[in-house]
Amino acid sequence: MTSVKAQAIPTSAERTTRQGRRQVSDRTIAQLFIWPTLILLIAMNVFPLFYSLYLSFNDYSVIANQPPQWVALENYEEILTNGRARYWHNFTVTGRYAALSVGLQILIGFGLAMLLREKFKGSGFITTLILIPMMLSPVVVGLFWKLIFDPSKGFFNYLIYLNPRAGDQWLSDPTLSLWSIVIVDVWMWSPFVMLLVLSGLSAIPNYLYEAAAIDRASAWFQFRRITLPQVMPLLLIAVLFRTIEAFKAFDVVMGLTGGGPGDTTETVAVRLYSEAFLGKFNTGESGALAYIVLIIIIAISNLYIRALNRAGGD
Amino acid sequence: MSDIELRHISKQFKDTAALDDVSFSVADGELFVLLGHTGAGKTTTLRIIAGLERQDAGDVVFDGEIVNQYTPADRDVAFVFQQYSLYPNKTVYENLAFPLRSPLRRVSSVEIDRRVRDAAEKLRITPLLARKTANLSGGEMQRVSIGRAIVRQPRVFLMDEPLSNLDAKLREALRIEIQHLQKTQGSTTLFVTHDQIEALTMADRIGVLRQGRIVQIGPPQEIYDRPTTTFVAQLVGIPRINLLPATRENGTLVIADSAIKLPLVNANEVPPLFLLGVRPEDVRLDPAGDLRGEVILTEPLGVETVVHIRSERQTLLCLVPGITPLAIGDTVSFSIDRSRLHFFERGGQRVGD
Amino acid sequence: MAEIQLLQVEKKFGEVHAVKPMDLTVHDGEFVVLLGPSGCGKTTTLRMISGLETTTSGTILLNGRDVTWAHPSERDIAFVFQFFALYSHMTARQNIAFPLQAQGESKETVNQRVAEVSRLLQIEHILDARPGALSGGDQQRVALARALVRRPAAFLMDEPLGALDADFRETMRAEIKRLHIDNQATTVYVTHDQIEAMAMGDRIVVMSAAAVQQVGTPTEIYHDPASLFVARFIGSPGMNLVTGRYHGGQVHLPDCGAYTVPPQWIAPLNTAFGDDGDVILGFRPEAAQVTPQGALSATVYASDLHGSYTMLHLELCDQTIVHVRSSRQSSHPIGTAVQFDLDPAMVRFFDPATEAAIVPEVRA
């Protein structure tokens, strides 16, 4: 054994140098990986974040060729006083849109998940089909739904009334325009809710249902007392994600109605866009608006997360 | 082989102390067993010795040399894990030869072949050498894992619950083989387990670990016969030791809530309030015995039967040989071997001898 | 309470038998243990009794009523699962109340019965905790309470102690048995742990490879195993089994001496093997004594202390290891040669060809 040891184990001097070299090179490699990412992150995310915050306290327009002028809270005041009526309208549109589309997505997504929970022949294929809308680009979705909703050649009305010419002016009727956006959003994102719920359902161990069957629980009792509470944390996550997304609703709206007719579908994000760019280039004020939206989203998320912690507390 | 010594090892994980001033030594050729519950710090100790984990304070010493700065490879220990970490697509032979193929070692292929066959012979796995390890049973896999440790001829063997993934019968068979191998090879081995039977049966010495501290070190017989705390007393022995609150009244031992009274020999050493420990085999059914109780449960195990005897509100477990004809509700006479009583303070510390 | 009868009950998955056709009667108030290694069909059998698994053929009778195709909820049985199967989002109290609420019992009844059963199991102090916050033992107590609260006709338990630490297992084993003694409820209990089976069962059904090997009381199973499988499986360690040659009233072990067969075994062995044949000699570790006068010789392979006794592991000439129980004071260093003898009342014989036990003459 002694001879083997002499071969196998380097002297302690060798050991230290070898070790020392290795440690230095490890660290260098780690830094080589980290720095480019860090620089990119600072340039693309961190800097714009703080610069836009700074601009929101200034009178500034990117096309005015004038340096930013410090006005403190004036932009915020403007939004909350003079511009209040129209901004409030934007927020109510967004709120109604969020409530309707998230609510429908949860119902439909949950229903689909319950249907697809049992494995049957072709269930994998059907699941994949259902997931397709989620994977499409929102702008493309907006554009081809515009065709589908088209009162003269779209087949949406045909589906409902079996007559393409009898139907409604989905995109230009002020009472229907918001609904059309909701329909598209539900079509696109219900699969997402379904996916989350499906993973929640599959995580419920089968023995809970076996125990319930032994305990003589009815199907409805099992759903109410086992399925629903067990899926609740994931359901809340779905609601949180979809609500945040709804507040940012932009691309589909632009693709479909552009905020119209009038301002009936002008969500906060669309308004923000028109303030910041479309002819006005009101950079300072739109910065302030963006920050107000950010604060609201953070507040809502916090409420959800609190509810989530309570639901998943065990 | 080598001897190992741990000097005042401490280790924190976040705010919890995983190990607190742990010191012990394993002599050259000794089989030392660390016994404790899950989370007591057994595995952490092993990992610190192997160099997989770094202690916050204290020294790890091999053959008198402090090895704190050495990497696991440099410490030259063999580690047998609970999960058999074998290469599934290689043959048993290749798995055994693998540790020797390291260019660092420069072992000739003739020597490799000799050592692999030698290890296989000792572990009775020679017929398996050509098999892929993926096709082996759990017991065979663990043999190969141990074989892979043996071929290296390391300075020490560290075994982290190597038997706990096996079923009872295999565990027993392999335990006996490890014991035989270790004794005939004289290899320094540190064996970690939560199974008191493994500890009692295999160890030259046992170190009992509780919440990161060593509570007792000694040969199995001593751990069993003279546990220093109620914790150790309850940790070893199946069925578990009877631990009963008792009082000393004028030189008589009275077990609380029961009709059991015994004369006390060493009355002066015993505090007025204490815990009495009686191993179930020291409670004997004895027609001439002056103690009485009611049988409330019998558990025949085959070679012996656990009889639960009730006296007023206390229950005493008693081990009788064979399968007893006693029925539930029977009144029995019994005696307690007074030379084998254990006395503990209410706090758990052993009193007297 | 209830009597459970299985008549030629069989379960196949595709062409593979999970349970070969079996008959079994569990009498009213009896505690029957289904024992066997994993995959032997014991859990499938239990699940067929519960209705959680369908049968391929055969009939299951509960109190004489054919329930073969009845839904679990129509069988009036309670099932205790290995991993407790508690509802993790409910408190212990809600878990226990669940079966009563599912049947629409009134609030007072529910409260009263939950209080009753939790007093019985001494879990009143943990009723408001969720399962995740409880120890394994307490979780299983809650699961037992949930089973008891409905007062079912029979209890089916699937390795209820399998997920517990060794410490808890011993305590819970006694608790469950004690509960059964007080309740006298018909119970079918599944385990792979032979110690548990011996300690708890009124009768034990030993299963292996989808078939019943032996049905009997713990004493019968331990002392008179019907086959080599049962002999090996019961006991820790199992029965020592040594292959030898039966000839002239003796069993000759290769190079290790000859064992003189006790007189009562001569006739049955002659019937089985004539005057010359291979035989397997079986004896429990406590049936052997190391003594200088012993007829059999071996060398000490290992020896270990078990607290109250020492187990010697002896290597015979053909490398078979036999286990011999001896006093805790005995000390035999590895490698020493020893002689040992067997208690004539405790030896058994097996036919190596059929693996079945040789049946002794019926003593008049």
Side-chain angles (χ1 to χ4, degrees), chain B residues 282-300:
Chain B
D282 298 326
V283 180
R284 307 225 167 92
L285 294 187
D286 175 1
D290 53 352
L291 302 172
R292 304 259 176 289
E294 184 198 348
V295 175
I296 59 161
L297 197 64
T298 60
E299 298 181 287

Side-chain angles (χ1 to χ4, degrees), chain C residues 169-188:
Chain C
R169 216 174 300 161
E170 216 183 301
T171 327
M172 284 301 289
R173 187 177 82 197
E175 270 181 47
I176 292 180
K177 187 166 184 189
R178 194 58 234 174
L179 209 60
H180 173 256
I181 289 165
D182 295 338
N183 267 15
Q184 290 299 316
T186 311
T187 305
V188 184

Side-chain angles (χ1 to χ4, degrees), chain B residues 29-171:
Chain B
E30 188 181 31
L31 199 167
F32 189 92
V33 174
L34 268 184
L35 173 67
H37 291 305
T38 319
K42 306 183 299 273
T43 300
T44 310
T45 311
L46 270 199
R47 292 174 59 84
I48 286 174
I49 295 172
L52 297 170
E53 201 91 62
R54 186 68 204 274
Q55 70 272 25
D56 297 336
D59 293 322
V60 179
V61 181
F62 283 14
D63 290 326
E65 184 195 6
I66 294 178
V67 297
N68 295 349
Q69 298 303 325
Y70 291 11
T71 63
D74 298 337
R75 293 189 192 193
D76 196 25
V77 298
F79 208 121
V80 180
F81 296 90
Q82 189 174 341
Q83 285 81 15
Y84 347 101
S85 37
L86 300 177
Y87 304 101
N89 292 318
K90 291 193 167 149
T91 61
V92 170
Y93 186 96
E94 275 309 308
N95 266 284
L96 290 179
F98 187 81
L100 300 176
R101 298 221 192 270
S102 156
L104 208 67
R105 290 184 187 276
R106 275 174 286 157
V107 185
S108 72
S109 55
V110 180
E111 172 70 8
I112 291 178
D113 188 66
R114 194 186 63 74
R115 285 213 230 154
V116 167
R117 295 196 182 279
D118 192 37
E121 194 59 39
K122 282 176 196 149
L123 285 160
R124 306 176 178 210
I125 49 173
T126 308
L128 303 178
L129 281 174
R131 297 258 296 275
K132 292 260 166 66
T133 53
N135 307 326
L136 301 180
S137 71
E140 290 167 341
M141 286 213 241
Q142 198 56 294
R143 271 170 222 244
V144 178
S145 308
I146 294 168
R148 206 165 56 166
I150 293 177
V151 292
R152 287 242 326 263
Q153 306 181 334
R155 303 173 79 176
V156 292
F157 288 101
L158 305 177
M159 303 200 178
D160 189 7
E161 309 229 12
L163 306 180
S164 60
N165 278 1
L166 307 175
D167 72 48
K169 292 275 161 328
L170 262 176
R171 201 183 308 157

Side-chain angles (χ1 to χ4, degrees), chain A residues 25-241:
Chain A
S25 74
D26 278 0
R27 185 165 296 172
T28 318
I29 289 170
Q31 287 180 346
L32 271 172
F33 276 106
I34 291 169
W35 275 110
T37 320
L38 215 58
I39 289 168
L40 220 62
L41 206 68
I42 290 170
M44 311 287 285
N45 285 16
V46 181
F47 170 71
L49 184 73
F50 287 103
Y51 189 55
S52 63
L53 180 64
Y54 163 74
L55 288 181
S56 75
F57 296 113
N58 284 277
D59 184 8
Y60 178 64
S61 172
V62 275
I63 54 168
N65 209 8
Q66 268 173 16
Q69 199 182 347
W70 185 262
V71 293
L73 290 172
E74 223 169 77
N75 287 328
Y76 290 89
E77 260 178 66
E78 174 65 20
I79 292 169
L80 297 173
T81 54
N82 297 341
R84 200 174 74 185
R86 194 164 156 218
Y87 280 118
W88 183 242
H89 168 76
N90 297 138
F91 275 104
T92 38
V93 167
T94 310
R96 272 173 58 210
Y97 163 73
L100 286 171
S101 66
V102 174
L104 284 170
Q105 279 164 26
I106 293 296
L107 278 179
I108 293 171
F110 206 118
L112 285 173
M114 291 297 281
L115 285 176
L116 285 169
R117 172 191 207 183
E118 299 294 330
K119 291 274 163 281
F120 52 87
K121 213 171 149 82
S123 64
F125 179 68
I126 290 177
T127 312
T128 316
L129 272 188
I130 292 178
L131 290 180
I132 287 176
M134 209 174 95
M135 301 166 189
L136 300 176
S137 150
V139 179
V140 174
V141 169
L143 286 174
F144 76 64
W145 270 93
K146 201 168 182 169
L147 292 174
I148 292 172
F149 279 134
D150 192 298
S152 54
K153 46 188 189 286
F155 69 82
F156 194 75
N157 281 329
Y158 183 78
L159 277 180
I160 298 177
Y161 301 106
L162 296 175
N163 176 1
R165 271 166 252 290
D168 306 302
Q169 309 277 321
W170 283 97
L171 298 175
S172 45
D173 183 335
T175 55
L176 291 177
S177 53
L178 188 66
W179 276 103
S180 49
I181 298 171
V182 168
I183 288 168
V184 175
D185 198 59
V186 168
W187 174 82
M188 194 168 169
W189 290 109
S190 294
F192 171 76
V193 178
M194 178 195 79
L195 209 58
L196 274 181
V197 173
L198 213 49
S199 73
L201 287 175
S202 67
I204 304 178
N206 195 37
Y207 60 70
L208 287 187
Y209 292 104
E210 291 191 340
I214 297 273
D215 289 342
R216 302 170 151 188
S218 65
W220 170 241
F221 198 79
Q222 288 184 27
F223 176 79
R224 199 161 53 85
R225 299 290 298 269
I226 299 171
T227 311
L228 204 55
Q230 291 271 345
V231 178
M232 197 46 95
L234 276 169
L235 211 56
L236 282 172
I237 287 176
V239 170
L240 171 66
F241 277 27

Side-chain angles (χ1 to χ4, degrees), chain C residues 17 82 116 127 227-228 269 317 319 322 352:
Chain C
H17 263 115
Q82 178 175 9
E116 220 172 83
L127 282 181
S227 66
L228 287 177
L269 287 179
C317 309
Q319 292 207 324
V322 297

